[in-house]
Amino acid sequence: MSYKVYINGEFFDKENAKISVYDHGLLYGDGVFEGMRSYNGKVFRHEEHIDRLYKSAKAIHLTIPMTQEEMMRAVNDTLAINGLKDAYIRLVVSRGVGTLGIDPNRCPTAQVIIITDMISLYPQELYENGLGIATASTIRNPASSLSPRIKSLNYLNNIMAKLEGLQAGCSEALMLNHQGQVCECTGDNIFIVQDGTLLTPSPDCGILEGITRGAVLDLAREHGIPCKECVLTRHDVYIADECFLTGSAAEIIPVTQIDARPIGDGKPGPITQKLIALFKELIA
Ligand code: PXG
């Protein structure tokens, strides 16, 4: 199926959806993006994603040439033109076409690209049995050099860690910050359960504040599961009763092994399963 791609207000067939090689998004990773999901024709936490996009853009001094309302409409229009109800949405705003050299002032207008496609998920088997992760030696960018709160087009920090995970035979890798505290995985936030309490690194640890992470914290609070945003060490993950990851693409996926050690009894735990069920209801 060839889906149409939105570029600056126009729709192009996938094979004709092209941008300039002088775009600073390509040349320097200068831009921001969002990865979203739609369920039954409705974008999950749409406004929150668009808010995060505009905050990322603001942080890198990038002006998006349309309002948040217009952006939400453009996303809905792209889904509609492609007849997609359950989809993955990739929204990219790049610095746009410029000259060679990093000066962003040489790029007069940002480019807005919206790609909608089928979702590619982890295999179902991993949702049932859990996934293994490995700690990467690549440290998460400290907020003082490039804030992980910016969802930027420069993902090399995460890609370096992902490569380490894959080399260790794992599809995700755990990233620590420069103080050795647990941050997040390369494209997912991390949670553990210890003695019935749900724990996840606080934003101060240097993470992307995931929208799915926020939805899971809301669900836990609504359903009386005690939860805390705090500092976690790798040791805490090693001795956790349960562990899972959250992200727009993965939703909630259990982790049953880290650095070749089983987590808890090596099977997805009851609180993880409860949250997976509650999340399914939320998106139904
Ligand atoms: N941490 C990082 C570093 C991420 O990139 C998350 C956490 C989870 O955030 P959300 O808001 O999705 O709950 C992400 C999300 C992709 C893709 O296509 C990447 C993400 C999400 C969806 C798709 O690479 N990253």
Side-chain angles (χ1 to χ4, degrees), residues 162-184:
K162 177 99 178 179
L163 283 170
E164 289 187 63
L166 293 171
Q167 277 153 12
C170 298
S171 37
E172 254 296 9
L174 178 64
M175 300 185 78
L176 309 175
N177 66 19
H178 63 293
Q179 292 173 297
Q181 299 162 346
V182 171
C183 278
E184 58 185 334

Side-chain angles (χ1 to χ4, degrees), residues 65-268:
M66 56 207 284
T67 65
Q68 293 196 207
E69 292 69 33
E70 286 166 343
M71 185 65 87
M72 287 176 73
R73 213 171 307 130
V75 169
N76 289 331
D77 289 350
T78 310
L79 286 169
I81 206 169
N82 287 309
L84 282 164
K85 289 204 175 304
D86 295 286
Y88 173 71
I89 303 144
R90 164 59 66 93
L91 178 40
V92 179
V93 184
S94 76
R95 188 77 68 179
V97 174
T99 52
L100 295 179
I102 65 170
D103 185 354
N105 294 325
R106 298 283 181 89
C107 310
T109 39
Q111 297 241 43
V112 179
I113 299 162
I114 305 169
I115 306 168
T116 55
D117 211 321
M118 304 287 280
I119 29 189
S120 82
L121 294 175
Y122 285 118
Q124 181 57 29
E125 184 266 324
L126 291 179
Y127 287 89
E128 280 154 26
N129 302 320
L131 127 156
I133 62 174
T135 310
S137 66
T138 304
I139 295 302
R140 191 80 176 95
N141 282 331
S144 50
S145 26
L146 178 63
S147 176
R149 295 172 70 186
I150 302 170
K151 206 164 162 62
S152 90
L153 291 185
N154 199 315
Y155 251 53
L156 272 180
N157 181 223
N158 309 53
I159 291 164
M160 294 293 273
K162 177 99 178 179
L163 283 170
E164 289 187 63
L166 293 171
Q167 277 153 12
C170 298
S171 37
E172 254 296 9
L174 178 64
M175 300 185 78
L176 309 175
N177 66 19
H178 63 293
Q179 292 173 297
Q181 299 162 346
V182 171
C183 278
E184 58 185 334
C185 288
T186 66
D188 298 295
N189 292 112
I190 186 164
F191 286 78
I192 62 170
V193 176
Q194 193 58 273
D195 300 324
T197 301
L198 189 59
L199 304 171
T200 195
S202 72
D204 303 338
C205 299
I207 60 167
L208 180 81
E209 289 161 86
I211 309 267
T212 322
R213 172 186 180 276
V216 165
L217 285 171
D218 288 348
L219 280 176
R221 289 184 186 118
E222 280 161 29
H223 292 84
I225 301 168
C227 52
K228 214 161 67 183
E229 295 171 73
C230 56
V231 171
L232 293 175
T233 62
R234 189 156 58 145
H235 181 74
D236 292 312
V237 187
Y238 284 171
I239 63 163
D241 299 324
E242 301 180 34
C243 179
F244 60 86
L245 309 181
T246 63
S248 297
E251 300 174 331
I252 302 175
I253 187 153
V255 176
T256 46
Q257 203 180 74
I258 176 164
D259 298 337
R261 297 150 172 85
I263 293 178
D265 63 2
K267 296 195 188 76

